[in-house]
Amino acid sequence: MTLNNSLLILIKQNPGITYNDIHTKFASRYKNPASAKSALMRGLKDMTSFGLIKKDGLKFFITDKGLSSMSVEMKDKLVLKLNQSMKKPIDNLDELVKLLVVLLQRGAEDSDLLRNAKDNSAFTINDLVEVRKEIRSKRKYLKKMGELLDTQIEKLKEIDFNDSLLINFDADFVDKLIKYCNGQKILVETKDESILSKVPSHWIKQNTISVEGSDISLLIQLILASPWAKVVIYVPGVKINLMAGKASIFGSHKTISEFYSNMLVNMALDENNY
């Protein structure tokens, strides 16, 4: 969008806006204040000369001519965007539908907009019908692929393929993790000094911490106090990556399912997402 168009929109949306307020909104576009001032002064002067805006004291207002100019510009841009979207309609489907909705809504109140669209559009209703056919064809294909994928997922579960789970790393998770470990030895890998500096030295070998029994609870609570630290926890049959307050859990499907059901007994397993 050109500077003049941006200025027109700003003045239209803020009748009576002053130069200082305009400068404040546009100064960040330029490397230095002098460049911003020069460009804005030139733009405002040109638009005033062309009758697109008028100045009343220190305040700027858009004129009818300015509104008309902006309307024409917007009409042209709308049709241009529609033509661009129709070059690859499936890739731009969301944008295409939104633009068509805008065209029809505005066109109901502005006959010039529809006339402009009819005169300058590079597509027809039949082109849109063909797009719809392609969508329906893809929908059938995706449905078939989804059904085939469901079958493969079930077969992978039967052979106990690798699985994963992403959940929040919070106090509730920690309590259930400690119970799941049941005192068995766990290994923790981290380079985070906020954790390493707080654990006894005899727990640490290089960047790996090894604990079992009641020490598990102490260590996990320390990790919980640094939820943004990068940590990897190894418990029997399960690897847990901790980062940014999330726990990514990896293991075989049966192990993950057991881990999940044992730890989160109060949560229903949603087969559509898992």
Side-chain angles (χ1 to χ4, degrees):
M1 184 179 293
T2 65
L3 173 62
N4 285 1
N5 287 335
S6 297
L7 286 171
L8 279 176
I9 292 173
L10 178 64
I11 295 171
K12 177 180 181 294
Q13 293 174 340
N14 301 273
I17 190 170
T18 64
Y19 170 80
N20 287 338
D21 289 337
I22 295 174
H23 184 275
T24 299
K25 291 181 179 293
F26 281 88
S28 61
R29 295 187 179 191
Y30 299 89
K31 294 182 179 180
N32 57 68
S35 296
K37 181 178 180 180
S38 176
L40 289 176
M41 292 291 286
R42 183 170 59 252
L44 292 170
K45 181 180 179 180
D46 289 345
M47 288 193 294
T48 302
S49 299
F50 293 137
L52 302 177
I53 61 173
K54 63 181 180 180
K55 189 176 181 183
D56 184 0
L58 298 176
K59 300 178 180 180
F60 289 92
F61 299 87
I62 193 168
T63 64
D64 290 341
K65 184 177 180 180
L67 287 171
S68 177
S69 173
M70 193 170 69
S71 177
V72 171
E73 180 78 15
M74 293 303 177
K75 290 172 187 175
D76 290 342
K77 284 193 173 183
L78 178 59
V79 176
L80 179 62
K81 287 182 178 180
L82 274 167
N83 289 339
Q84 285 294 115
S85 295
M86 281 299 294
K87 290 180 179 179
K88 293 184 178 180
I90 299 300
D91 294 340
N92 301 303
L93 198 55
D94 286 348
E95 179 72 4
L96 174 61
V97 173
K98 288 177 183 177
L99 291 171
L100 287 170
V101 170
V102 171
L103 173 65
L104 294 172
Q105 286 179 341
R106 292 183 181 175
E109 301 174 355
D110 186 349
S111 59
D112 288 340
L113 175 60
L114 285 181
R115 188 179 303 110
N116 182 58
K118 289 179 180 179
D119 292 342
N120 297 290
S121 64
F123 64 92
T124 66
I125 291 174
N126 187 63
D127 293 327
L128 294 172
V129 171
E130 292 300 318
V131 173
R132 185 179 62 189
K133 287 180 181 178
E134 187 173 353
I135 292 171
R136 289 176 176 173
S137 176
K138 285 184 177 292
R139 185 171 62 189
K140 291 179 181 178
Y141 170 78
L142 290 173
K143 181 180 179 181
K144 181 180 179 181
M145 289 299 102
E147 292 171 351
L148 290 173
L149 190 57
D150 284 342
T151 301
Q152 306 314 310
I153 288 172
E154 292 306 314
K155 289 183 178 180
L156 287 171
K157 288 180 179 180
E158 290 173 6
I159 64 172
D160 201 20
F161 198 74
N162 300 332
D163 210 341
S164 63
L165 179 68
L166 178 66
I167 57 179
N168 290 329
F169 179 55
D170 53 22
D172 185 55
F173 172 83
V174 165
D175 289 342
K176 292 179 172 63
L177 175 60
I178 293 170
K179 291 178 182 177
Y180 179 83
C181 293
N182 196 29
Q184 299 181 72
K185 181 184 288 188
I186 70 168
L187 298 177
V188 173
E189 293 179 350
T190 185
K191 295 181 180 179
D192 194 284
E193 286 299 324
S194 66
I195 296 173
L196 293 173
S197 63
K198 295 176 182 177
V199 301
S201 58
H202 64 274
W203 287 5
I204 308 172
K205 186 176 181 180
Q206 294 181 339
N207 291 323
T208 301
I209 305 170
S210 175
V211 294
E212 57 187 313
S214 60
D215 291 337
I216 292 175
S217 177
L218 295 175
L219 177 58
I220 299 299
Q221 292 296 340
L222 279 176
I223 296 172
L224 180 61
S226 302
W228 299 99
K230 290 184 178 181
V231 179
V232 181
I233 302 175
Y234 296 91
V235 302
V238 177
K239 175 183 176 182
I240 306 171
N241 287 345
L242 302 179
M243 188 170 63
K246 296 289 184 180
S248 299
I249 307 168
F250 301 89
S252 71
H253 173 70
K254 290 180 181 178
T255 303
I256 291 293
S257 296
E258 179 185 354
F259 186 85
Y260 186 87
S261 59
N262 285 348
M263 291 183 59
L264 308 175
V265 292
N266 295 321
M267 295 176 62
L269 182 59
D270 184 352
E271 287 293 342
N272 292 326
N273 297 318
Y274 177 68

